[in-house]
Amino acid sequence: QVQLVESGGGLVQAGGSLTLSCGASGRTFSSYGVGWFRQAPGKDREFVAAIRWTGDITYYADSVKGRFTISRDNAKNTVFLQMNGLKPEDTAVYYCAASSSIQRLRLGGVDYWGQGTQVTVSS
């Protein structure tokens, strides 16, 4: 079993930056994919970014490419999402998620969810 706890959300002005962290506990495997989804009020939860525990495979939603960067610290079982050039449309609850493979995660096959952290971008 894997537990995920995300943090780092907050209020930021448009154009600003914010970094989210996701700490994982419990058994993790090299093949696991970990990443981020987000959900704005009244909208579907959408995929944002994912990274494999080993290797340098990453995926990003088109809407965040060039602005968001996902990274990891394997020794600390922590995944980060650096968000630059934030826009009001980035406002959402951001959820850390994990799956037995990055491909499953990318396609929405989530095995574990974090509790979510609110990101609000003001205009």
Side-chain angles (χ1 to χ4, degrees):
Q1 191 175 60
V2 176
Q3 295 81 45
L4 304 172
V5 179
E6 58 268 75
S7 61
L11 175 65
V12 64
Q13 288 188 316
S17 299
L18 206 59
T19 299
L20 306 182
S21 299
C22 174
S25 61
R27 179 70 69 86
T28 58
F29 301 93
S30 61
S31 61
Y32 257 63
V34 183
W36 299 88
F37 288 73
R38 67 185 183 185
Q39 187 167 25
K43 297 184 178 180
D44 294 333
R45 191 170 298 187
E46 65 177 352
F47 172 78
V48 176
I51 189 169
R52 201 171 185 266
W53 279 118
T54 58
D56 58 1
I57 298 174
T58 58
Y59 292 102
Y60 295 94
D62 289 340
S63 59
V64 306
K65 286 181 179 178
R67 299 189 298 122
F68 291 10
T69 302
I70 189 168
S71 61
R72 66 180 187 270
D73 184 337
N74 294 90
K76 297 182 178 180
N77 282 340
T78 302
V79 175
F80 305 94
L81 184 68
Q82 182 182 342
M83 305 182 293
N84 298 324
L86 284 163
K87 305 174 181 179
E89 51 262 45
D90 294 318
T91 295
V93 176
Y94 284 70
Y95 296 90
C96 187
S99 181
S100 57
S101 76
I102 192 170
Q103 292 297 341
R104 283 188 62 239
L105 182 64
R106 183 189 183 191
L107 296 173
V110 178
D111 296 321
Y112 304 98
W113 290 103
Q115 82 287 348
T117 185
Q118 177 71 47
V119 173
T120 302
V121 184
S122 65
S123 60

